[in-house]
Amino acid sequence: MFDVLVYLYETYWRPDACPDHAQLTRKLTAVGFEDDEIQEALNWLEGLSAAGEAFHGQQSVSAMRVYSPGETDHLGETSVGFISFLESAGVLPGPMREMVIDRAMAIPGSPMDLEDLKIIVLMVFWSLGEEPDALILDELFVAPEDRLIH
């Protein structure tokens, strides 16, 4: 599923640039993705759209987010720490954070793999038509061991 999401991010500027589901399914099949992987990704994207509507218009408040035990278990310490890092850096306001958590909770298996969470963060930005700044893109895509230290 995550391969399909990354392909959509790289291929379509914004979600509204994607063709309708039937045509998109045909295109993804032609590229070589499996039907179950495509359907899982498209269902996940529908949930992302619903989450965007649910959290749209909420004010970003300076409040501490307390994770439920189920969220902590599912996300794992590393993912919770990464979400907190993005919040403290000022790039993940409350409503977007809630979208990330909502979509991460929709993924089976725990704890959440950090690389998968980074794709979820990227897809939340994408779904809102926002481009993360260069430093955040670096954090999302470049492995720590590959970073140049100045």
Side-chain angles (χ1 to χ4, degrees):
M1 177 188 86
F2 286 103
D3 291 337
V4 174
L5 296 177
V6 170
Y7 177 83
L8 292 174
Y9 178 84
E10 291 174 344
T11 305
Y12 299 101
W13 176 250
R14 295 172 50 122
D16 56 4
C18 289
D20 63 63
H21 275 193
Q23 186 178 7
L24 184 57
T25 299
R26 285 191 301 277
K27 285 185 175 205
L28 292 170
T29 301
V31 171
F33 292 110
E34 300 291 326
D35 280 342
D36 59 337
E37 191 177 23
I38 294 168
Q39 289 313 310
E40 187 179 359
L42 294 180
N43 289 339
W44 187 88
L45 284 172
E46 285 178 16
L48 178 59
S49 178
E53 291 173 16
F55 297 113
H56 180 72
Q58 285 188 0
Q59 296 294 322
S60 178
V61 206
S62 296
M64 184 174 89
R65 172 61 152 89
V66 178
Y67 293 85
S68 73
E71 290 171 332
T72 304
D73 290 343
H74 185 77
L75 296 170
E77 285 182 32
T78 305
S79 293
V80 170
F82 185 71
I83 293 169
S84 297
F85 161 73
L86 293 176
E87 281 184 276
S88 68
V91 296
L92 193 67
M96 287 177 73
R97 175 200 61 222
E98 293 306 312
M99 288 176 68
V100 168
I101 293 168
D102 176 78
R103 295 292 71 212
M105 296 299 291
I107 304 296
S110 57
M112 167 74 50
D113 182 70
L114 182 58
E115 296 309 310
D116 292 345
L117 180 75
K118 289 178 178 183
I119 293 170
I120 292 171
V121 171
L122 190 64
M123 294 309 293
V124 166
F125 275 95
W126 180 78
S127 74
L128 298 172
E130 296 184 23
E131 180 74 26
D133 68 29
L135 291 175
I136 295 307
L137 281 174
D138 184 52
E139 191 64 41
L140 293 173
F141 282 119
V142 179
E145 62 272 9
D146 294 337
R147 289 197 179 108
L148 295 176
I149 299 175
H150 299 279

